[in-house]
Amino acid sequence: MLYVIGLGLGNEKDITIRGLEAVKRCEKVYMEAYTSLLSFGLSGLSTLEAMYGKAITVADREMVEEKADEMLAEASSCDVAFLVVGDPFGATTHTDLVVRAKKMGIEVKVVHNASVMNAVGVCGLQLYRFGETVSIPFFTETWRPDSFYEKIQRNRNMGLHTLCLLDIRVKEPTLESLCRGKKQYEPPRYMSINTAIDQLVEIEERKESSAYNKDTICVGLARLGSEDQKVVAGPMGQLRNVDFGEPLHCLVITGETHPIEEEMLDFYKLQSQGPFEDGRNAS
């Protein structure tokens, strides 16, 4: 059996009871470590191991994408848990893993949990008013992609909000090492809301059309699900100057807003004195 288990967004305690029971039944436990991370990062792996009572093998991108057959071979003869921060299907890589397992005749059970795709609703924007989600990659000196711009524009034209997931680069080989044939890796990088806005503004400035501008109301969200989550709403041009702190970050570009949505956003406005000023869920 292969168990694909969502861990939620905060810390080791966010796993569901069903998920915890499954982990404790498994002989091997892997944790995916490149599409997201818990609030304490990989340094807190021992905390997870202590709570779950199992040794955990960190599964990096190379292992999941290139050596998954080894893990699946184990699942053909014993129970294996594959832990995913957030919900198991928050990344296409995990869907691919399930497809490969099923093709090998391995039974798969999925245990769901909270993810950024629904936790973003804490800001008050209604989930059914979101359009297509986009991912914003880091610019480089020679690569400044903007294919997601048209998706944002379509969402805005339909009055829909856009969730922007920001780039995570963990264990990425350097170009120089690839040329030499011996991989060396870049330090981990997590895109900030500030960097995302800088890139969005650059793209907007070189486009003839207009999907957004510096006055477009956006919502910056950092460390969703953790005790110190931060949520700030305001014009794009002002949010780029806000210190959102440690990763992970995401950004919402608003579309048309309902009066109830606007009331909730007021709690998160820059210089707000409301009960949501520090970005924590009042509950």
Side-chain angles (χ1 to χ4, degrees):
M1 177 82 71
L2 174 66
Y3 290 92
V4 188
I5 301 169
L7 297 182
L9 296 170
N11 57 36
E12 76 280 1
K13 296 179 182 179
D14 283 353
I15 191 171
T16 64
I17 293 174
R18 182 173 167 228
L20 181 58
E21 290 174 344
V23 169
K24 290 184 174 181
R25 283 197 297 270
C26 291
E27 294 182 34
K28 296 281 291 186
V29 181
Y30 295 88
M31 180 175 175
E32 183 267 293
Y34 63 89
T35 63
S36 190
L37 77 163
L38 289 172
S39 59
F40 49 66
L42 290 178
S43 60
L45 190 63
S46 59
T47 305
L48 290 177
E49 292 179 325
M51 180 172 180
Y52 302 159
K54 296 284 181 177
I56 299 174
T57 300
V58 175
D60 59 25
R61 182 186 296 272
E62 287 183 7
M63 177 179 177
V64 177
E65 295 185 350
E66 300 174 14
K67 302 178 182 178
D69 287 346
E70 296 176 15
M71 180 174 61
L72 294 176
E74 293 175 336
S76 66
S77 59
C78 68
D79 289 340
V80 173
F82 184 71
L83 309 181
V84 179
V85 177
D87 185 77
F89 294 118
T92 54
T93 298
H94 310 138
T95 305
D96 178 67
L97 183 66
V98 171
V99 168
R100 293 168 70 175
K102 287 181 176 291
K103 286 183 176 179
M104 293 173 65
I106 298 168
E107 188 174 355
V108 179
K109 285 191 177 180
V110 177
V111 182
H112 293 285
N113 210 319
S115 79
V116 64
M117 303 295 286
N118 53 25
V120 69
V122 70
C123 70
L125 296 175
Q126 296 167 6
L127 295 178
Y128 67 86
R129 296 173 64 88
F130 277 75
E132 185 173 358
T133 297
V134 303
S135 296
I136 301 180
F138 278 111
F139 282 177
T140 69
E141 292 182 4
T142 58
W143 188 60
R144 307 181 89 74
D146 59 13
S147 59
F148 51 83
Y149 178 89
E150 285 70 25
K151 296 177 182 179
I152 297 172
Q153 188 172 47
R154 284 199 299 271
N155 287 344
R156 294 268 294 165
N157 288 342
M158 293 187 288
L160 302 175
H161 313 309
T162 305
L163 171 60
C164 303
L165 302 178
L166 310 187
D167 201 1
I168 297 173
R169 298 183 66 82
V170 178
K171 204 173 181 183
E172 294 286 340
T174 64
L175 180 59
E176 182 180 355
S177 72
L178 289 174
C179 293
R180 291 179 176 177
K182 185 177 181 180
K183 288 184 180 178
Q184 291 182 320
Y185 300 98
E186 300 175 355
R189 297 172 65 202
Y190 306 96
M191 183 181 288
S192 67
I193 291 163
N194 320 82
T195 297
I197 290 176
D198 285 342
Q199 294 187 182
L200 286 166
V201 169
E202 178 183 321
I203 292 169
E204 179 65 25
E205 288 174 348
R206 67 174 184 248
K207 293 286 184 178
E208 295 181 0
S209 55
S210 179
Y212 50 81
N213 56 52
K214 294 179 182 179
D215 296 322
T216 300
I217 299 299
C218 296
V219 186
L221 305 101
R223 300 172 301 284
L224 272 175
S226 67
E227 288 295 322
D228 67 340
Q229 71 177 16
K230 184 166 187 172
V231 182
V232 183
M236 182 181 288
Q238 293 182 27
L239 286 189
R240 72 195 300 185
N241 298 318
V242 173
D243 181 4
F244 284 91
E246 295 298 310
L248 294 172
H249 295 184
C250 63
L251 177 72
V252 177
I253 302 172
T254 66
E256 296 175 6
T257 50
H258 185 277
I260 293 179
E261 292 178 305
E262 292 170 4
E263 286 188 61
M264 276 291 289
L265 286 179
D266 281 343
F267 288 117
Y268 296 110
K269 279 186 177 178
L270 288 165
Q271 301 178 342
S272 168
Q273 299 301 312
F276 290 81
E277 182 182 10
D278 65 355
R280 298 185 185 184
N281 189 331
S283 63

